[in-house]
Amino acid sequence: MSAQQPRRVENLHTDKGKVPVYATGIVAQPWDDYTAEDHATWATLFARQREILVGRASDAFLRAQDAMGMTPHAIPKYTELNRVLEAATGWQLIGVEGLLPELDFFDHLANRRFPVTWWIRTPDQIDYIEEPDLFHDLFGHVPLLMDPLFADYMQAYGRGGVKAHAIGADALQNLTRLYWYTVEFGLIRESGGLRIYGSGIVSSKGESIHALESAAPNRIGFDLERIMRTRYRIDTFQKTYFVIDSFEQLIEATRPDFSPLYARLADQASIAAGAVVEGDQVFQRGSGEGWADDGDV
Ligand code: PHE
Ligand code: CO
């Protein structure tokens, strides 16, 4: 067990199930308190994912991870990663207890601060944990912040989040779907095939293979409005992955003011997580094997 425990304030019971609520302040990473077991968990996950990801993850992701100096030997110190990251793109990691309220999260991103959970999962959670921990945040999200284009996209997303939050719940939901299907579960065309760049995929052994090699999911070309209408799964592998051509495409498509788009989308029905609709650029139509038929968010 970790010497310290995250300060969970309460659990909210919502239509998405039990949602943990954490203290929202910035915390210093209690690096000296990590146990040998914590470091071993990092080492196991790091080595396992790197082996799977060479040839599967975007080269930009793998190169950035190397450039940051992350290694399996020990849980990295945020202060050391920050020296490299700040010099590269001006981003900075901050330690947090866990998932933040939306507006706090957006405000951090808008100011080029990425919140990273300070605690790591326990050995019995090696293959699956339902909320972000240090491994997901650090291994999954932080490397691409070294990439100048992706670094700008994340900041623009944060600013867009502050704006969407002020517009209302529907706008926020549209924007959250964009984050889900790009930052968390995005695929990119690269080297004549598909590669992974989404953090939710790269930090998961099972989904790293599923996202590229399974016949079950749809793989569909990136389309901003289509994504903003598409529900998603938080409890299973994704039924649909969206594929970008490049980070430039992502940035260009998301540069315009979303306000008129939110207004237009307000009248349109949402699309089921596993649906293929007219106009989709279909790379692969999923077989749907093993899909649960309820539970889209
Ligand atoms: N252009 C978006 C807006 O006006 C902001 C944004 C940029 C959102 C990048 C997501 C990603 O709201
Ligand atoms: Co994440």
Side-chain angles (χ1 to χ4, degrees):
M1 286 291 286
S2 295
Q4 294 190 24
Q5 292 295 307
R7 285 179 295 150
R8 186 170 300 182
V9 178
E10 58 179 324
N11 286 314
L12 282 185
H13 295 270
T14 71
D15 58 357
K16 296 180 194 172
K18 211 169 70 176
V19 177
V21 177
Y22 292 102
T24 57
I26 296 176
V27 294
Q29 183 189 25
W31 196 87
D32 291 333
D33 293 338
Y34 292 135
T35 62
E37 186 178 272
D38 291 333
H39 290 295
T41 298
W42 167 266
T44 301
L45 287 167
F46 188 101
R48 193 169 85 173
Q49 285 312 105
R50 279 297 296 213
E51 194 173 313
I52 291 172
L53 290 176
V54 173
R56 287 197 176 91
S58 164
D59 285 335
F61 174 86
L62 296 168
R63 260 188 281 113
Q65 205 167 51
D66 289 339
M68 287 206 84
M70 284 188 194
T71 72
H73 301 114
I75 294 173
K77 292 186 176 168
Y78 299 174
T79 48
E80 287 177 9
L81 296 178
N82 270 338
R83 275 203 290 275
V84 185
L85 187 57
E86 285 207 74
T89 58
W91 272 81
Q92 189 197 335
L93 310 183
I94 52 169
V96 294
E97 300 284 351
L99 276 177
L100 295 176
E102 274 140 347
L103 200 51
D104 296 67
F105 181 63
F106 295 143
D107 182 63
H108 286 310
L109 297 187
N111 291 286
R112 284 174 115 83
R113 293 187 300 263
F114 196 84
V116 176
T117 304
W118 68 260
W119 52 270
I120 193 160
R121 66 193 71 181
T122 56
D124 58 303
Q125 296 169 316
I126 279 272
D127 291 322
Y128 182 75
I129 176 165
E130 61 288 330
E131 56 182 301
D133 72 332
L134 179 149
F135 184 74
H136 169 78
D137 288 340
L138 207 52
F139 184 97
H141 283 283
V142 169
L144 279 179
L145 297 173
M146 294 281 287
D147 181 282
L149 291 177
F150 202 81
D152 286 350
Y153 176 67
M154 290 297 283
Q155 179 175 31
Y157 180 86
R159 290 177 173 153
V162 173
K163 197 169 83 182
H165 190 271
I167 293 172
D170 289 347
L172 201 53
Q173 184 177 59
N174 294 146
L175 191 69
T176 302
R177 289 174 180 155
L178 174 65
Y179 190 88
W180 191 265
Y181 282 119
T182 61
V183 176
E184 293 289 356
F185 291 97
L187 299 180
I188 186 167
R189 287 168 88 169
E190 198 176 297
S191 307
L194 299 185
R195 297 282 190 97
I196 304 161
Y197 72 93
S199 312
I201 310 177
V202 294
S203 60
S204 158
K205 180 187 178 192
E207 194 141 8
S208 290
I209 293 165
H210 178 88
L212 294 182
E213 281 142 67
S214 170
N218 302 311
R219 300 188 186 90
I220 293 173
F222 175 89
D223 176 330
L224 181 67
E225 293 200 30
R226 159 55 155 115
I227 287 176
M228 286 189 161
R229 292 175 56 198
T230 307
R231 302 196 296 272
Y232 58 87
R233 309 284 309 189
I234 59 169
D235 57 339
T236 63
F237 292 155
Q238 298 307 303
K239 293 179 175 179
T240 300
Y241 299 94
F242 289 94
V243 181
I244 59 172
D245 292 330
S246 63
F247 293 141
E248 285 89 347
Q249 179 198 22
L250 189 56
I251 286 167
E252 283 310 310
T254 54
R255 199 188 300 283
D257 178 10
F258 284 180
S259 306
L261 180 54
Y262 293 140
R264 193 159 71 242
L265 290 175
D267 306 325
Q268 295 185 32
S270 63
I271 299 170
V276 173
V277 300
E278 210 185 307
D280 282 347
Q281 179 195 4
V282 181
F283 291 98
Q284 176 184 281
R285 183 181 288 262
S287 68
E289 195 193 331
W291 283 359
D293 57 9
D294 64 340
D296 286 6
V297 172

